[in-house]
Amino acid sequence: MARHIAFHRKHPVAATLVTLALSAIGLGGTLWACADSSCSPGWQLASPDYDCGGRAAISPGNDTRINILLLMRSLRPVDGPRKGAATDVNNPQFGGTFMTWPGLRAAFWPEAARDSQGDGAAANGHATDCAASAEATAAFNAALAVETGLPEAERTELARLRAQTGRGTADWGNAAISSRPGREYLSYLKAAEAFHKGDWQVARDSFGPLTRARSQWVAETAKYMPIRIGLRAAVAQAVDEYGDFAGPEKVDRAAVAEAGNAISAYLKAYPRGRYAASAEGLMRRVAWLSGDMATLARSYEKLLATVPGDDEAAADLAEEIDIKLLERQDASRIIGSQNGTPLLLAVADLKQMRRQGADPAVLSATELAAQKSQFTAHADLYGLLQASRLYYAGDDPKAILALLPDAARSSRFTPLAFSRQMLRGMALGRTRDPNEAGFWRDLLRGANPLYERPLVEMGLAVRWQRDERLEQVFAPGSPVTDSMTRTILLQTLASPSILRAAANDRTRPVRERDVARFTLLYKDLTRGAFGDFTGDLALVPASAGSEGGLWDFSQQDMIPVGLFRKGRWSDGFPCPNIAQTAATLAHAPANAKARLCLGDFYRLNGFDGFSLFKAGGDRFSLGNGPDGFSGRPLSRADIYAAIIADKGAAAEDRAYALYRAVMCYAPSGFNGCTGPYRSYEELEAAQAPQADRKAWFTELKQRYPDSRWAKSLRYYW
């Protein structure tokens, strides 16, 4: 930490820049080069700690809401048509393998897709006034339409007044209402106006007499409204300046009790009433606001077992459970103290299994064993918990295989069954079982195309990369079809021959082929394969575009492979096109002028700080293995350092190298000719001491005073 603080003091601008660079590194250790993203998925099957990219397998690193929904869809299997892969609209880099919570909702219920913020607000019971008003207005007008004895003119007038209620614009004095049902509806509107204004006592006093109204709708609604009054009054002083819940200590407990009594009274009077389901649901709100978490947990357990997983109400329930219960620090204690809540307990256990820093899973084998009796009716779920704890604690993988029998040949899976098989496959990988690849192939048959199959494909691809059989991923008819998995391997491990074949494979998407072309040409230049560059350039269509730049390379639809044909070559130092420069370097790799032109190609086309995908450090991470190209990447800083060190280089070339070496640090004092950096240590190692920069500046000024570069350079940084 002290080194980081010192660096911030010495290089404040550079520190800011490296923070931005480091923000592109995902939680799994993966780097999406130049991606303006706060989250990148860990491209590996395991999720030992919270991963912003959720998986189709129930696991510790998943968003808790994803685990809840997958579990619900396992309890009441969804037998409808199997959907194809969906790219998360919020994170295109996730491909079809990972998902955010909003992305998962949109995939399962595309016709009702909503953003996560709106869903969270609804689950927390803070629906917008506009939404609530629209629903209430529709119900009121529907009641008016069937109310007998109500003159048509009054029906029209009451509908007009309802549209004004709650907006402070209702003109009660001019209401021409004289019939008995009309007066009851008008009294209801006045009571509703008091409710919307937060005048709780007036609302109570006004709704009370209406419970005896002749109109059945008015009487029942008036009986229901004290529930809403009590709940609104309970939290009226418990909302902060941003509209968020400020905490249970600010809740009006008397008003909560009032709401609870009102629920009982309503359900007694109308056990099958039009608001019965709402009233029963609001019992959870009463339990939450009153701090009765035990009752709340039991209510949630019952709903988990009964709400169909293919109904969007299941997603709403998952959000409510997450907000109201699982986000609490004492959630595990609350749930664990109950008997008969195995589903909630399983979700809480998975959350406890998340790795804490460098430490293994928190949940111990003894703690999990003590819970066994709660899972009598859910043996498969308990087996998954046991196996997950073993895997993420780093225990013997053979014990996992004993807990999870091979069922990979099934024709389809529930999410729970699929999760068990995924964990078995991961354990096979840990033991280097020779049948692992065959297991993944078997599992592909029953995996759902939506999220499950791409995950299995990644498991197979990782096994093949570990066996150094990458060509099988790209062979004709390969079962690995997910384009994001393939493009990661193209950028990281693919050999020149694999890249050339992929670039010419017309059965694959254009973007995938362009990634192969771009990677091949980029590595030809940076790894010194200059003799191959000209021939490989022929793979780029003349119409290939160069738009989009390289900042968002991982997510952009168009890959700017046209840069190698249409990029900029020079802005002062005389250079030919990059093909001619590469041809020169193929015959004379030490040619200083050609090397400087290569550096200018990098600089002028945005390659400074650019990197293709970099895999995580875990040996099971996709893309982690020996690169198909030899040598290390050549940066601009490397080019300038070599020419500066060559005292026999031509004066013009050496002067330009000195100038550019100094300018690498302008204006931040941070080396912008290397990177990107995955740590502060990498950043510091790439910096030349300021004394060296001063020496370059001084040598340029004193040794080459007449050069245009010496005349234009005024500072060193």
PDB file of all heavy atoms in Angstrom, residues 88-112:
ATOM      1  N   ASP A  88     -26.340 -10.728 -23.562  1.00  0.00           N
ATOM      2  CA  ASP A  88     -26.795  -9.761 -22.575  1.00  0.00           C
ATOM      3  C   ASP A  88     -26.675  -8.352 -23.153  1.00  0.00           C
ATOM      4  O   ASP A  88     -25.583  -7.901 -23.499  1.00  0.00           O
ATOM      5  CB  ASP A  88     -25.937  -9.884 -21.306  1.00  0.00           C
ATOM      6  CG  ASP A  88     -26.532  -9.180 -20.110  1.00  0.00           C
ATOM      7  OD1 ASP A  88     -26.926  -8.014 -20.256  1.00  0.00           O
ATOM      8  OD2 ASP A  88     -26.599  -9.791 -19.038  1.00  0.00           O
ATOM      9  N   VAL A  89     -27.795  -7.654 -23.253  1.00  0.00           N
ATOM     10  CA  VAL A  89     -27.777  -6.326 -23.869  1.00  0.00           C
ATOM     11  C   VAL A  89     -26.956  -5.347 -23.051  1.00  0.00           C
ATOM     12  O   VAL A  89     -26.445  -4.353 -23.572  1.00  0.00           O
ATOM     13  CB  VAL A  89     -29.209  -5.781 -24.045  1.00  0.00           C
ATOM     14  CG1 VAL A  89     -29.990  -6.650 -25.019  1.00  0.00           C
ATOM     15  CG2 VAL A  89     -29.948  -5.723 -22.704  1.00  0.00           C
ATOM     16  N   ASN A  90     -26.815  -5.597 -21.749  1.00  0.00           N
ATOM     17  CA  ASN A  90     -26.045  -4.691 -20.905  1.00  0.00           C
ATOM     18  C   ASN A  90     -24.546  -4.943 -20.998  1.00  0.00           C
ATOM     19  O   ASN A  90     -23.751  -4.051 -20.741  1.00  0.00           O
ATOM     20  CB  ASN A  90     -26.494  -4.845 -19.442  1.00  0.00           C
ATOM     21  CG  ASN A  90     -27.950  -4.499 -19.250  1.00  0.00           C
ATOM     22  OD1 ASN A  90     -28.341  -3.348 -19.394  1.00  0.00           O
ATOM     23  ND2 ASN A  90     -28.767  -5.489 -18.954  1.00  0.00           N
ATOM     24  N   ASN A  91     -24.163  -6.168 -21.356  1.00  0.00           N
ATOM     25  CA  ASN A  91     -22.749  -6.534 -21.426  1.00  0.00           C
ATOM     26  C   ASN A  91     -22.517  -7.471 -22.602  1.00  0.00           C
ATOM     27  O   ASN A  91     -22.470  -8.693 -22.432  1.00  0.00           O
ATOM     28  CB  ASN A  91     -22.300  -7.218 -20.126  1.00  0.00           C
ATOM     29  CG  ASN A  91     -22.335  -6.290 -18.944  1.00  0.00           C
ATOM     30  OD1 ASN A  91     -23.395  -6.032 -18.411  1.00  0.00           O
ATOM     31  ND2 ASN A  91     -21.192  -5.789 -18.526  1.00  0.00           N
ATOM     32  N   PRO A  92     -22.358  -6.939 -23.821  1.00  0.00           N
ATOM     33  CA  PRO A  92     -22.144  -7.804 -24.986  1.00  0.00           C
ATOM     34  C   PRO A  92     -20.941  -8.722 -24.840  1.00  0.00           C
ATOM     35  O   PRO A  92     -20.914  -9.797 -25.436  1.00  0.00           O
ATOM     36  CB  PRO A  92     -21.941  -6.793 -26.128  1.00  0.00           C
ATOM     37  CG  PRO A  92     -22.617  -5.547 -25.658  1.00  0.00           C
ATOM     38  CD  PRO A  92     -22.421  -5.514 -24.173  1.00  0.00           C
ATOM     39  N   GLN A  93     -19.945  -8.308 -24.041  1.00  0.00           N
ATOM     40  CA  GLN A  93     -18.752  -9.135 -23.879  1.00  0.00           C
ATOM     41  C   GLN A  93     -19.058 -10.449 -23.166  1.00  0.00           C
ATOM     42  O   GLN A  93     -18.254 -11.376 -23.194  1.00  0.00           O
ATOM     43  CB  GLN A  93     -17.699  -8.372 -23.086  1.00  0.00           C
ATOM     44  CG  GLN A  93     -18.171  -7.988 -21.688  1.00  0.00           C
ATOM     45  CD  GLN A  93     -17.131  -7.203 -20.919  1.00  0.00           C
ATOM     46  OE1 GLN A  93     -16.088  -7.735 -20.586  1.00  0.00           O
ATOM     47  NE2 GLN A  93     -17.412  -5.956 -20.653  1.00  0.00           N
ATOM     48  N   PHE A  94     -20.246 -10.575 -22.533  1.00  0.00           N
ATOM     49  CA  PHE A  94     -20.597 -11.810 -21.852  1.00  0.00           C
ATOM     50  C   PHE A  94     -20.925 -12.927 -22.842  1.00  0.00           C
ATOM     51  O   PHE A  94     -20.978 -14.088 -22.464  1.00  0.00           O
ATOM     52  CB  PHE A  94     -21.819 -11.591 -20.947  1.00  0.00           C
ATOM     53  CG  PHE A  94     -21.532 -10.808 -19.691  1.00  0.00           C
ATOM     54  CD1 PHE A  94     -20.339 -10.153 -19.495  1.00  0.00           C
ATOM     55  CD2 PHE A  94     -22.495 -10.734 -18.702  1.00  0.00           C
ATOM     56  CE1 PHE A  94     -20.093  -9.428 -18.351  1.00  0.00           C
ATOM     57  CE2 PHE A  94     -22.268 -10.014 -17.536  1.00  0.00           C
ATOM     58  CZ  PHE A  94     -21.053  -9.361 -17.362  1.00  0.00           C
ATOM     59  N   GLY A  95     -21.177 -12.547 -24.103  1.00  0.00           N
ATOM     60  CA  GLY A  95     -21.570 -13.536 -25.080  1.00  0.00           C
ATOM     61  C   GLY A  95     -22.841 -14.248 -24.650  1.00  0.00           C
ATOM     62  O   GLY A  95     -23.722 -13.672 -24.016  1.00  0.00           O
ATOM     63  N   GLY A  96     -22.952 -15.529 -24.966  1.00  0.00           N
ATOM     64  CA  GLY A  96     -24.095 -16.321 -24.524  1.00  0.00           C
ATOM     65  C   GLY A  96     -23.774 -17.152 -23.308  1.00  0.00           C
ATOM     66  O   GLY A  96     -24.573 -17.986 -22.899  1.00  0.00           O
ATOM     67  N   THR A  97     -22.598 -16.950 -22.711  1.00  0.00           N
ATOM     68  CA  THR A  97     -22.127 -17.783 -21.611  1.00  0.00           C
ATOM     69  C   THR A  97     -22.489 -17.205 -20.252  1.00  0.00           C
ATOM     70  O   THR A  97     -22.805 -17.947 -19.318  1.00  0.00           O
ATOM     71  CB  THR A  97     -20.598 -17.959 -21.703  1.00  0.00           C
ATOM     72  OG1 THR A  97     -20.255 -18.383 -23.016  1.00  0.00           O
ATOM     73  CG2 THR A  97     -20.094 -18.971 -20.691  1.00  0.00           C
ATOM     74  N   PHE A  98     -22.437 -15.890 -20.121  1.00  0.00           N
ATOM     75  CA  PHE A  98     -22.667 -15.239 -18.835  1.00  0.00           C
ATOM     76  C   PHE A  98     -23.866 -14.303 -18.945  1.00  0.00           C
ATOM     77  O   PHE A  98     -24.288 -13.939 -20.037  1.00  0.00           O
ATOM     78  CB  PHE A  98     -21.432 -14.444 -18.401  1.00  0.00           C
ATOM     79  CG  PHE A  98     -20.190 -15.284 -18.305  1.00  0.00           C
ATOM     80  CD1 PHE A  98     -19.294 -15.350 -19.352  1.00  0.00           C
ATOM     81  CD2 PHE A  98     -19.919 -16.021 -17.161  1.00  0.00           C
ATOM     82  CE1 PHE A  98     -18.147 -16.128 -19.269  1.00  0.00           C
ATOM     83  CE2 PHE A  98     -18.782 -16.801 -17.063  1.00  0.00           C
ATOM     84  CZ  PHE A  98     -17.893 -16.854 -18.116  1.00  0.00           C
ATOM     85  N   MET A  99     -24.381 -13.907 -17.794  1.00  0.00           N
ATOM     86  CA  MET A  99     -25.520 -12.997 -17.798  1.00  0.00           C
ATOM     87  C   MET A  99     -25.503 -12.114 -16.562  1.00  0.00           C
ATOM     88  O   MET A  99     -24.997 -12.509 -15.514  1.00  0.00           O
ATOM     89  CB  MET A  99     -26.842 -13.775 -17.863  1.00  0.00           C
ATOM     90  CG  MET A  99     -27.340 -14.358 -16.562  1.00  0.00           C
ATOM     91  SD  MET A  99     -26.423 -15.780 -15.875  1.00  0.00           S
ATOM     92  CE  MET A  99     -26.946 -17.079 -16.975  1.00  0.00           C
ATOM     93  N   THR A 100     -26.022 -10.905 -16.714  1.00  0.00           N
ATOM     94  CA  THR A 100     -26.352 -10.085 -15.560  1.00  0.00           C
ATOM     95  C   THR A 100     -27.762 -10.460 -15.123  1.00  0.00           C
ATOM     96  O   THR A 100     -28.484 -11.167 -15.831  1.00  0.00           O
ATOM     97  CB  THR A 100     -26.335  -8.589 -15.922  1.00  0.00           C
ATOM     98  OG1 THR A 100     -27.283  -8.360 -16.980  1.00  0.00           O
ATOM     99  CG2 THR A 100     -24.955  -8.140 -16.372  1.00  0.00           C
ATOM    100  N   TRP A 101     -28.190  -9.987 -13.973  1.00  0.00           N
ATOM    101  CA  TRP A 101     -29.558 -10.242 -13.543  1.00  0.00           C
ATOM    102  C   TRP A 101     -30.569  -9.612 -14.510  1.00  0.00           C
ATOM    103  O   TRP A 101     -31.494 -10.302 -14.946  1.00  0.00           O
ATOM    104  CB  TRP A 101     -29.760  -9.751 -12.116  1.00  0.00           C
ATOM    105  CG  TRP A 101     -31.180  -9.796 -11.658  1.00  0.00           C
ATOM    106  CD1 TRP A 101     -31.991  -8.748 -11.367  1.00  0.00           C
ATOM    107  CD2 TRP A 101     -31.988 -10.973 -11.453  1.00  0.00           C
ATOM    108  NE1 TRP A 101     -33.242  -9.168 -10.999  1.00  0.00           N
ATOM    109  CE2 TRP A 101     -33.269 -10.529 -11.044  1.00  0.00           C
ATOM    110  CE3 TRP A 101     -31.758 -12.337 -11.598  1.00  0.00           C
ATOM    111  CZ2 TRP A 101     -34.305 -11.415 -10.763  1.00  0.00           C
ATOM    112  CZ3 TRP A 101     -32.796 -13.218 -11.320  1.00  0.00           C
ATOM    113  CH2 TRP A 101     -34.045 -12.760 -10.909  1.00  0.00           C
ATOM    114  N   PRO A 102     -30.417  -8.341 -14.880  1.00  0.00           N
ATOM    115  CA  PRO A 102     -31.363  -7.796 -15.870  1.00  0.00           C
ATOM    116  C   PRO A 102     -31.317  -8.559 -17.191  1.00  0.00           C
ATOM    117  O   PRO A 102     -32.343  -8.746 -17.844  1.00  0.00           O
ATOM    118  CB  PRO A 102     -30.905  -6.344 -16.047  1.00  0.00           C
ATOM    119  CG  PRO A 102     -30.148  -6.025 -14.815  1.00  0.00           C
ATOM    120  CD  PRO A 102     -29.482  -7.301 -14.415  1.00  0.00           C
ATOM    121  N   GLY A 103     -30.122  -8.995 -17.594  1.00  0.00           N
ATOM    122  CA  GLY A 103     -30.007  -9.743 -18.835  1.00  0.00           C
ATOM    123  C   GLY A 103     -30.732 -11.073 -18.772  1.00  0.00           C
ATOM    124  O   GLY A 103     -31.354 -11.511 -19.748  1.00  0.00           O
ATOM    125  N   LEU A 104     -30.667 -11.742 -17.606  1.00  0.00           N
ATOM    126  CA  LEU A 104     -31.355 -13.012 -17.441  1.00  0.00           C
ATOM    127  C   LEU A 104     -32.869 -12.813 -17.497  1.00  0.00           C
ATOM    128  O   LEU A 104     -33.590 -13.584 -18.140  1.00  0.00           O
ATOM    129  CB  LEU A 104     -30.961 -13.646 -16.108  1.00  0.00           C
ATOM    130  CG  LEU A 104     -31.569 -15.019 -15.805  1.00  0.00           C
ATOM    131  CD1 LEU A 104     -31.111 -16.038 -16.827  1.00  0.00           C
ATOM    132  CD2 LEU A 104     -31.205 -15.470 -14.400  1.00  0.00           C
ATOM    133  N   ARG A 105     -33.352 -11.771 -16.849  1.00  0.00           N
ATOM    134  CA  ARG A 105     -34.789 -11.481 -16.888  1.00  0.00           C
ATOM    135  C   ARG A 105     -35.227 -11.214 -18.328  1.00  0.00           C
ATOM    136  O   ARG A 105     -36.264 -11.706 -18.774  1.00  0.00           O
ATOM    137  CB  ARG A 105     -35.124 -10.272 -16.021  1.00  0.00           C
ATOM    138  CG  ARG A 105     -35.033 -10.531 -14.529  1.00  0.00           C
ATOM    139  CD  ARG A 105     -35.669  -9.401 -13.725  1.00  0.00           C
ATOM    140  NE  ARG A 105     -37.101  -9.324 -13.964  1.00  0.00           N
ATOM    141  CZ  ARG A 105     -38.000  -9.055 -13.032  1.00  0.00           C
ATOM    142  NH1 ARG A 105     -37.624  -8.843 -11.786  1.00  0.00           N
ATOM    143  NH2 ARG A 105     -39.283  -8.993 -13.325  1.00  0.00           N
ATOM    144  N   ALA A 106     -34.444 -10.443 -19.043  1.00  0.00           N
ATOM    145  CA  ALA A 106     -34.806 -10.112 -20.428  1.00  0.00           C
ATOM    146  C   ALA A 106     -34.791 -11.347 -21.321  1.00  0.00           C
ATOM    147  O   ALA A 106     -35.564 -11.451 -22.270  1.00  0.00           O
ATOM    148  CB  ALA A 106     -33.852  -9.054 -20.974  1.00  0.00           C
ATOM    149  N   ALA A 107     -33.899 -12.302 -21.022  1.00  0.00           N
ATOM    150  CA  ALA A 107     -33.828 -13.523 -21.824  1.00  0.00           C
ATOM    151  C   ALA A 107     -35.025 -14.432 -21.561  1.00  0.00           C
ATOM    152  O   ALA A 107     -35.579 -15.034 -22.483  1.00  0.00           O
ATOM    153  CB  ALA A 107     -32.530 -14.270 -21.519  1.00  0.00           C
ATOM    154  N   PHE A 108     -35.431 -14.540 -20.292  1.00  0.00           N
ATOM    155  CA  PHE A 108     -36.549 -15.410 -19.947  1.00  0.00           C
ATOM    156  C   PHE A 108     -37.901 -14.774 -20.270  1.00  0.00           C
ATOM    157  O   PHE A 108     -38.848 -15.456 -20.633  1.00  0.00           O
ATOM    158  CB  PHE A 108     -36.504 -15.759 -18.461  1.00  0.00           C
ATOM    159  CG  PHE A 108     -35.465 -16.789 -18.097  1.00  0.00           C
ATOM    160  CD1 PHE A 108     -35.017 -16.910 -16.798  1.00  0.00           C
ATOM    161  CD2 PHE A 108     -34.926 -17.635 -19.054  1.00  0.00           C
ATOM    162  CE1 PHE A 108     -34.068 -17.856 -16.452  1.00  0.00           C
ATOM    163  CE2 PHE A 108     -33.970 -18.585 -18.721  1.00  0.00           C
ATOM    164  CZ  PHE A 108     -33.544 -18.689 -17.417  1.00  0.00           C
ATOM    165  N   TRP A 109     -37.979 -13.455 -20.121  1.00  0.00           N
ATOM    166  CA  TRP A 109     -39.246 -12.754 -20.351  1.00  0.00           C
ATOM    167  C   TRP A 109     -39.001 -11.529 -21.232  1.00  0.00           C
ATOM    168  O   TRP A 109     -39.124 -10.388 -20.788  1.00  0.00           O
ATOM    169  CB  TRP A 109     -39.879 -12.338 -19.019  1.00  0.00           C
ATOM    170  CG  TRP A 109     -40.180 -13.517 -18.146  1.00  0.00           C
ATOM    171  CD1 TRP A 109     -41.225 -14.382 -18.282  1.00  0.00           C
ATOM    172  CD2 TRP A 109     -39.410 -13.981 -17.022  1.00  0.00           C
ATOM    173  NE1 TRP A 109     -41.164 -15.348 -17.304  1.00  0.00           N
ATOM    174  CE2 TRP A 109     -40.066 -15.134 -16.521  1.00  0.00           C
ATOM    175  CE3 TRP A 109     -38.244 -13.536 -16.400  1.00  0.00           C
ATOM    176  CZ2 TRP A 109     -39.580 -15.839 -15.426  1.00  0.00           C
ATOM    177  CZ3 TRP A 109     -37.767 -14.236 -15.308  1.00  0.00           C
ATOM    178  CH2 TRP A 109     -38.429 -15.385 -14.836  1.00  0.00           C
ATOM    179  N   PRO A 110     -38.626 -11.741 -22.480  1.00  0.00           N
ATOM    180  CA  PRO A 110     -38.261 -10.612 -23.354  1.00  0.00           C
ATOM    181  C   PRO A 110     -39.394  -9.628 -23.573  1.00  0.00           C
ATOM    182  O   PRO A 110     -39.153  -8.438 -23.762  1.00  0.00           O
ATOM    183  CB  PRO A 110     -37.869 -11.299 -24.668  1.00  0.00           C
ATOM    184  CG  PRO A 110     -38.503 -12.649 -24.613  1.00  0.00           C
ATOM    185  CD  PRO A 110     -38.509 -13.030 -23.167  1.00  0.00           C
ATOM    186  N   GLU A 111     -40.629 -10.105 -23.515  1.00  0.00           N
ATOM    187  CA  GLU A 111     -41.760  -9.212 -23.757  1.00  0.00           C
ATOM    188  C   GLU A 111     -42.007  -8.284 -22.576  1.00  0.00           C
ATOM    189  O   GLU A 111     -42.732  -7.300 -22.692  1.00  0.00           O
ATOM    190  CB  GLU A 111     -43.026 -10.032 -24.055  1.00  0.00           C
ATOM    191  CG  GLU A 111     -43.607 -10.777 -22.862  1.00  0.00           C
ATOM    192  CD  GLU A 111     -42.798 -12.021 -22.479  1.00  0.00           C
ATOM    193  OE1 GLU A 111     -41.879 -12.387 -23.245  1.00  0.00           O
ATOM    194  OE2 GLU A 111     -43.089 -12.610 -21.420  1.00  0.00           O
ATOM    195  N   ALA A 112     -41.439  -8.595 -21.433  1.00  0.00           N
ATOM    196  CA  ALA A 112     -41.673  -7.769 -20.253  1.00  0.00           C
ATOM    197  C   ALA A 112     -40.359  -7.283 -19.650  1.00  0.00           C
ATOM    198  O   ALA A 112     -40.264  -7.049 -18.453  1.00  0.00           O
ATOM    199  CB  ALA A 112     -42.460  -8.565 -19.210  1.00  0.00           C
TER     200      ALA A 112
END
